[in-house]
Amino acid sequence: MSYLQEPLSVLRQRLQESLQRGDYGDAEQCAHTLLEQQPGDQQAARFIAVRHQERGELQRAFSVLSKAVADVSAVAGTWQQLALLQAELGDIPASVESLRRCLGLDPHAELAHLYMGVAQERLGESLSALWHYCRAVHLAQSTGHWISQESTPAAVLPLVKHAIGKVNQGRRSAIEVALQPLRARYGTSELTRVQQALAGYLGQSPPKPADARQQPKFLYFPGIPSQPYYGRERFPWQEQLEVATAIIREELIDVLSSEGALEPFLGTNNQAVGQMLRGSSESAAWDAYFLYRHGERYDQHCLRCPRTTAVLEKLPLVRIREHAPETLFSVLTPGSHILPHTGVTNTRLVTHLPLIVPPDCALRVGGEDHSWQEGRCVTFDDTFVHEAWNHSERTRVVLILDSWNPDLTEVERLAVTDLVQAIGDFNRSAEQLTQ
């Protein structure tokens, strides 16, 4: 029986089998037959176009892909392939339009964003190119790709390196603009360690934490002492917080009495929960009642806990737009274990005020265990690997808040604030302009 007499399902299977065994001649014959019977078949059109390109038959490849994208079944990958062919033929504006159609079907196609960046740069649209490079790198690295040479396909490695270089250059320029007023006011010598931290963040000088137990996810600030726990004498304000333990606990108990008041600290991301939480029972949970999160004030929660809020507002909390403070009641149910993890930066420290602490509950930071005592603060650097557990049969609750690392100068705190906000603004702009 000839190919023409075979049903589409059989032809598609033969095409796959031919490709798997490397018989590209037979695969091409199958693909041509498929297109004769099903003109909009995307896989067949794309394969035939590749074969034409391999033989240098660019116009024939263009004809095949143009017909394929005209079909209602056209997919993002076909538009991307057409865009690359158009670029090869020298028609960059047409390539840009095809990439727009591709991204309209699949906004998360990191390669399409990468190629769009290249095309926009060739057209002299440097700002638009930068945003597409940003989006491409963000999408790829969020799934574990393009982080190293090993995680980057060799075919796109030069383009990826170029894109990352452009992104870092753009981000660095945005940060330099943000820091310029501080330089003018205080001088560059006051910002030496900030510049070193920035160089580490941008990959110009890989950060080298003083202690191997430190693994900051975002920003490592060099030149300050590394230690898992910090002595109480560094934080005179903790005394007024501890004095308020009873009234804070009273408002906490009122919150716990209301069904549905808490929310999962890790949200509803099952993967994140699986990576961060273990339990000896199905009821194991790490819940939270936020007063501030990522710098956003939870007004209704603050109104419900007015005395707690009043105490916290008098403390020297970190305040960075869209990042800090982070203050909450952290609720760990019986049998729950928060697995080892690390925080984002050593520029700020985490303080716990224990409110309800049954036996067999503990915190471990950098391999050093600490048993909470109700009403007595403990402060630690969460860039050290840390974990916490509740092996008791009762709920454990601590009030969590963040404060500046006391080993930063006032100028450095101002600079870190501006730096983090500038990075956030840059990343958000990149995302918005490529959506």
Side-chain angles (χ1 to χ4, degrees):
M1 184 168 65
S2 70
Y3 282 158
L4 288 173
Q5 297 173 306
E6 293 181 338
L8 291 173
S9 59
V10 174
L11 282 172
R12 291 194 177 97
Q13 183 177 349
R14 284 200 174 198
L15 175 58
Q16 292 298 327
E17 292 173 350
S18 298
L19 290 173
Q20 288 173 1
R21 66 173 181 267
D23 188 347
Y24 299 123
D26 187 64
E28 190 171 356
Q29 187 178 352
C30 283
H32 276 293
T33 306
L34 267 170
L35 277 186
E36 289 176 17
Q37 297 188 34
Q38 189 79 32
D41 190 289
Q42 300 290 294
Q43 183 186 22
R46 292 173 64 181
F47 175 68
I48 290 172
V50 168
R51 295 290 285 171
H52 282 316
Q53 286 181 267
E54 290 173 345
R55 293 191 288 264
E57 302 164 353
L58 300 188
Q59 288 300 332
R60 296 184 69 180
F62 176 78
S63 178
V64 171
L65 291 175
S66 295
K67 292 176 182 177
V69 297
D71 192 88
V72 293
S73 64
V75 297
T78 308
W79 280 106
Q80 179 176 294
Q81 188 172 338
L82 175 61
L84 292 179
L85 178 58
Q86 289 167 325
E88 189 175 354
L89 289 168
D91 193 346
I92 305 304
S95 179
V96 166
E97 183 56 35
S98 293
L99 287 168
R100 285 201 180 100
R101 299 293 293 271
C102 170
L103 290 169
L105 293 168
D106 183 6
H108 302 293
E110 63 261 24
L111 284 175
H113 281 292
L114 178 66
Y115 297 137
M116 180 68 94
V118 173
Q120 295 280 16
E121 195 172 355
R122 290 181 65 179
L123 291 174
E125 302 289 342
S126 56
L127 184 58
S128 181
L130 174 61
W131 300 139
H132 282 286
Y133 285 145
C134 285
R135 189 65 173 156
V137 172
H138 171 76
L139 288 167
Q141 293 188 344
S142 66
T143 57
H145 303 141
W146 301 5
I147 295 173
S148 62
Q149 185 164 322
E150 292 71 29
S151 63
T152 308
V156 296
L157 182 59
L159 289 182
V160 170
K161 286 183 175 180
H162 177 76
I164 291 175
K166 287 292 185 179
V167 170
N168 285 340
Q169 180 181 342
R171 186 178 286 116
R172 183 166 56 250
S173 296
I175 294 169
E176 291 294 336
V177 169
L179 295 182
Q180 189 55 43
L182 290 173
R183 287 199 186 90
R185 182 175 181 181
Y186 298 105
T188 56
S189 61
E190 291 287 336
L191 298 172
T192 299
R193 296 194 299 187
V194 176
Q195 287 295 148
Q196 293 171 348
L198 179 57
Y201 169 75
L202 294 173
Q204 299 168 324
S205 176
K208 297 179 180 179
D211 191 308
R213 295 172 294 176
Q214 283 181 282
Q215 300 173 23
K217 292 180 179 179
F218 171 57
L219 180 70
Y220 175 72
F221 200 92
I224 56 179
S226 293
Q227 56 194 90
Y229 296 99
Y230 279 69
R232 296 168 54 79
E233 69 279 359
R234 305 298 305 276
F235 314 98
W237 51 265
Q238 287 187 0
E239 183 177 354
Q240 66 185 97
L241 179 61
E242 292 175 343
V243 167
T245 298
I247 61 173
I248 294 173
R249 185 190 292 115
E250 182 179 335
E251 292 185 333
L252 162 68
I253 291 172
D254 177 64
V255 168
L256 295 178
S257 68
S258 299
E259 186 175 350
L262 304 178
E263 62 181 281
F265 181 86
L266 299 170
T268 56
N269 186 325
N270 291 331
Q271 182 178 0
V273 173
Q275 293 173 344
M276 286 281 289
L277 189 66
R278 290 286 185 274
S280 57
S281 69
E282 293 183 0
S283 62
W286 180 13
D287 292 324
Y289 189 81
F290 291 100
L291 301 172
Y292 278 88
R293 188 170 209 192
H294 307 318
E296 178 186 353
R297 191 177 193 267
Y298 282 39
D299 290 335
Q300 291 303 314
H301 290 188
C302 290
L303 286 172
R304 185 169 184 177
C305 303
R307 291 181 292 176
T308 299
T309 301
V311 172
L312 291 172
E313 295 292 3
K314 295 177 182 178
L315 303 183
L317 305 177
V318 178
R319 296 187 182 275
I320 300 178
R321 175 169 43 82
E322 298 176 353
H323 290 271
E326 187 104 340
T327 62
L328 64 141
F329 294 128
S330 174
V331 182
L332 199 59
T333 59
S336 300
H337 185 163
I338 302 171
L339 301 178
H341 62 287
T342 59
V344 295
T345 177
N346 63 331
T347 60
R348 63 109 170 95
L349 303 176
V350 177
T351 292
H352 287 181
L353 173 65
L355 299 171
I356 301 176
V357 184
D360 298 323
C361 294
L363 169 71
R364 177 177 294 159
V365 182
E368 301 177 21
D369 290 359
H370 172 85
S371 295
W372 290 289
Q373 300 177 49
E374 291 184 2
R376 189 170 178 83
C377 291
V378 57
T379 299
F380 61 96
D381 180 346
D382 72 343
T383 64
F384 282 80
V385 177
H386 60 285
E387 59 188 301
W389 57 85
N390 178 2
H391 292 163
S392 78
E393 297 180 354
R394 295 191 291 128
T395 295
R396 181 238 65 179
V397 187
V398 299
L399 174 67
I400 296 180
L401 55 101
D402 47 11
S403 64
W404 286 107
N405 189 314
D407 292 311
L408 266 65
T409 67
E410 185 61 33
V411 173
E412 289 171 336
R413 295 178 187 184
L414 293 171
V416 168
T417 299
D418 289 348
L419 186 154
V420 172
Q421 290 179 171
I423 291 172
D425 290 344
F426 178 86
N427 292 340
R428 184 175 54 257
S429 296
E431 291 178 10
Q432 290 174 344
L433 289 175
T434 56
Q435 286 176 350

